[in-house]
Amino acid sequence: MFQFGLDQLTVPTAMALLRGEETGVLSEAAHRQVNRSRRSVEKMAAGDRAVYGINTGFGPLCDTQISPEETSLLQKNLLITHAVGVGKAIDPKLSRLMMICKIHALARGHSGIRVEVIERLLFFLDQDLLPVVPEQGSVGASGDLAPLSHLFLPLIGEGSFWQGNTHRPAKELLQEHGLEPLELQAKEGLALINGTQFILAHAVLGLDQMAYLLNLADLAGAMSLEGYQGSAAPFRAELHELRPYAGSLEVARRIRHFLAGSENMASHAACSRVQDPYSLRCIPQVHGASRNAFLHLTQLTEVELNAVTDNPVILSDEEAISGGNFHGQPLAMALDYCSLATAELGNISDRRCYLLLEGKYGLPRLLTKSGGLNSGFMIPQYTTAALVTENKSLCFPASADSIPTSLGQEDHVSMGSISGRRFNQILGNLEKILAIELMYAAQAMDFRRPHKFSDILEKNHALIRQQVDHLDDDRLLMDDIGGMVEMVSNRTFFTT
């Protein structure tokens, strides 16, 4: 059982909460720390000293003091006026992840929100009431204002929830559950919509997918190496210990694991070939660099998962610091880096597909013995080429840009929401590229029979053959590719 506001939230734990494999609770200790900061806010709201966001307006209106009587209307107006997102709605699981991340941040006890608000959000999670959130409109500072506003509109009876594949007005579903809309109090609207949870949810979801695809890329590379009858020497531990990047060491170890006990590899150990093309020989260096980027983003994401990122931050009855913890730059830059790292996995995979088509070292051209009348596997590589170039076009770093907002008060922003969305788009394209490489590699391995491969490669080859038959004569490959993509998406392969 995960204790919001007290336990350390990690990417795997966040995903377990998302999938319902872990239950999150608000313990008595968390209640106490939330109530403590709430009492501080109430004291400041009743005082004469101007405290940003508690008894003042927002952004460029920070110098306009608000009377206690107007406080509730101010917080309601904050959600309504900032809910200006556009575009298609994000996947409901991202809405759920955003709520998980926000509940944990609020439960840390430095946001000044009432327990009742957090408990209402926990009810939404428990009942799978997931708000509809448009994907566009955040500049990533003051956090993800637009998407977070849409996420929390249902608290006040506005906005919509998902119901299956359609949307239902929040007011209707609240009534069905016997709930009245909440009336937000001082600081609560600001605590809800300030923060990086839109960026963060994309980072968590992307890292979970990238962890699998990094492993799958190693598997695809090993199967292509076997099909090409490449050399195992570039994966020797002694070589990589001389340049000991964590990613390279891990990839080399994994490739050795995939090749262990291979009859096919032993069959050409004394061949005259000196070295392989880079897309095979440099798998540890290229895949390993992508792993290094993954490790860096994971480290930063787990800091952010346990951070307080709204504004102002309540430290005591007297101190509410108006700082910049909501700024998305730490994640934005690393997300852009990981987007490039993911795109490179697809880039080198496409090159291995091309290698297998060339007709060298005992493989038939286009991986078919009936070339001429048959095109064999010529055309799926066009698809990988197109996907690789699409990924390259998505790699422009959004964090390199900044457009001032809020009459210049917010004069440098992160654009991290765009970074997060692109990261996940690139991962989706990588799934398709690796699916095609695995199909190619299985075909190439067929031409190395009767030699056997390692147990794990044989298991994966058998999985592919359950979905895709060996290609002799041309047939419609659309269904084969679709089946392979589905296997990748469902994480069917043995990758460890």
Side-chain angles (χ1 to χ4, degrees):
M1 189 168 291
F2 180 80
Q3 299 179 93
F4 283 112
L6 298 175
D7 295 338
Q8 282 293 109
L9 190 55
T10 64
V11 170
T13 303
M15 291 303 298
L17 289 164
L18 170 67
R19 295 171 179 140
E21 300 161 357
E22 180 75 77
T23 302
V25 297
L26 197 68
S27 68
E28 285 303 315
H31 273 75
R32 287 193 294 273
Q33 59 194 28
V34 170
N35 286 331
R36 185 169 56 248
S37 74
R38 181 63 205 166
R39 287 192 295 271
S40 297
V41 164
E42 289 170 351
K43 182 177 178 180
M44 293 176 196
D48 295 329
R49 182 170 63 90
V51 183
Y52 174 73
I54 295 177
N55 57 11
T56 74
F58 311 109
L61 302 177
C62 60
D63 54 358
T64 303
Q65 198 152 348
I66 305 298
S67 70
E69 296 76 24
E70 297 171 313
T71 295
S72 181
L73 179 60
L74 174 69
Q75 299 302 315
K76 178 181 178 180
N77 285 347
L78 187 65
L79 260 69
I80 291 170
T81 58
H82 286 63
V84 293
V86 295
K88 68 180 183 180
I90 62 173
D91 191 298
K93 63 188 175 187
L94 279 167
S95 295
R96 185 173 176 85
L97 262 179
M98 288 174 70
M99 281 203 290
I100 290 166
C101 295
K102 192 66 176 183
I103 289 167
H104 188 52
L106 295 173
R108 291 286 309 279
H110 293 280
S111 300
I113 202 162
R114 287 172 297 157
V115 166
E116 294 93 316
V117 180
I118 301 176
E119 287 177 335
R120 178 64 61 88
L121 295 177
L122 285 168
F123 179 83
F124 287 172
L125 282 183
D126 182 60
Q127 298 298 315
D128 212 31
L129 292 170
L130 304 178
V132 177
V133 178
E135 67 177 357
Q136 295 170 300
S138 171
V139 297
S142 302
D144 296 308
L145 294 173
L148 284 169
S149 296
H150 285 278
L151 187 74
F152 297 123
L153 280 176
L155 287 172
I156 60 172
E158 301 291 343
S160 302
F161 286 115
W162 286 95
Q163 190 165 66
N165 294 322
T166 61
H167 306 165
R168 284 277 306 280
K171 188 172 292 186
E172 291 180 11
L173 281 173
L174 289 180
Q175 288 173 352
E176 289 179 13
H177 285 86
L179 299 174
E180 291 293 326
L182 293 179
E183 186 172 304
L184 298 179
Q185 302 299 319
K187 174 67 166 67
E188 291 184 329
L190 195 58
L192 289 166
I193 74 168
N194 252 225
T196 59
Q197 283 76 32
F198 182 86
I199 302 172
L200 184 55
H202 281 81
V204 170
L205 198 65
L207 283 168
D208 179 71
Q209 187 180 15
M210 189 178 181
Y212 176 72
L213 293 181
L214 280 164
N215 287 345
L216 191 68
D218 294 344
L219 171 66
M223 292 180 71
S224 290
L225 184 78
E226 286 279 28
Y228 195 74
Q229 287 195 331
S231 172
F235 310 102
R236 293 268 301 273
E238 298 93 328
L239 174 67
H240 295 282
E241 285 163 1
L242 296 173
R243 195 192 192 200
Y245 289 111
S248 300
L249 288 167
E250 175 64 6
V251 173
R253 182 197 66 78
R254 286 174 49 76
I255 299 296
R256 293 195 303 272
H257 167 64
F258 288 135
L259 302 181
S262 168
E263 289 181 6
N264 183 58
M265 195 58 62
S267 72
H268 60 91
C271 71
S272 60
R273 285 159 56 190
V274 176
Q275 57 185 20
D276 295 321
Y278 288 180
S279 61
L280 294 174
R281 193 181 356 147
C282 299
I283 287 173
Q285 290 79 8
V286 177
H287 289 199
S290 295
R291 280 187 180 270
N292 292 338
F294 166 82
L295 292 171
H296 184 212
L297 179 59
T298 300
Q299 178 189 28
L300 298 182
T301 297
E302 294 194 342
V303 170
E304 197 79 354
L305 278 168
N306 297 285
V308 177
T309 58
D310 62 288
N311 181 60
V313 171
I314 311 302
L315 297 183
S316 68
D317 287 355
E318 292 77 31
E319 280 193 290
I321 296 181
S322 183
N325 277 9
F326 51 70
H327 203 293
Q329 194 79 352
L331 286 185
M333 293 179 70
L335 281 163
D336 285 335
Y337 173 28
C338 252
S339 291
L340 178 61
T342 303
E344 278 300 286
L345 291 173
N347 201 348
I348 194 170
S349 174
D350 167 74
R351 293 298 80 212
R352 291 192 294 262
C353 289
Y354 193 89
L355 271 185
L356 295 177
L357 296 176
E358 287 184 326
K360 292 183 177 179
Y361 311 120
L363 291 178
R365 280 199 308 169
L366 306 179
L367 291 174
T368 177
K369 288 184 175 179
S370 306
L373 176 62
N374 293 290
S375 296
F377 280 106
M378 180 198 302
I379 304 301
Q381 191 264 325
Y382 289 38
T383 302
T384 62
L387 291 167
V388 164
T389 292
E390 183 174 318
N391 279 351
K392 290 174 185 175
S393 73
L394 291 169
C395 279
F396 177 83
S399 61
D401 193 20
S402 176
I403 298 177
T405 57
S406 192
L407 300 182
Q409 181 76 7
E410 297 163 11
D411 57 354
H412 182 281
V413 297
S414 75
M415 300 297 180
S417 66
I418 302 169
S419 304
R421 286 169 48 222
R422 284 180 172 177
F423 177 41
N424 282 270
Q425 282 179 266
I426 292 169
L427 284 162
N429 287 337
L430 178 60
E431 282 191 349
K432 301 177 181 74
I433 296 167
L434 292 176
I436 291 173
E437 183 187 358
L438 286 162
M439 185 172 68
Y440 276 34
Q443 181 83 358
M445 289 167 69
D446 288 345
F447 292 112
R448 303 306 183 183
R449 297 299 188 189
H451 298 310
K452 292 185 178 180
F453 308 95
S454 67
D455 289 344
I456 190 169
L457 293 195
E458 290 285 2
K459 286 179 182 178
N460 282 294
H461 183 274
L463 281 176
I464 294 169
R465 283 290 165 258
Q466 290 173 17
Q467 180 67 49
V468 177
D469 291 334
H470 179 87
L471 184 70
D472 289 314
D473 298 315
D474 283 353
R475 63 172 183 260
L476 186 64
L477 290 175
M478 177 179 66
D479 293 339
D480 291 342
I481 294 171
M484 289 295 299
V485 172
E486 187 176 354
M487 288 175 72
V488 171
S489 297
N490 292 337
R491 305 187 183 185
T492 306
F493 292 98
F494 303 101
T495 61
T496 57

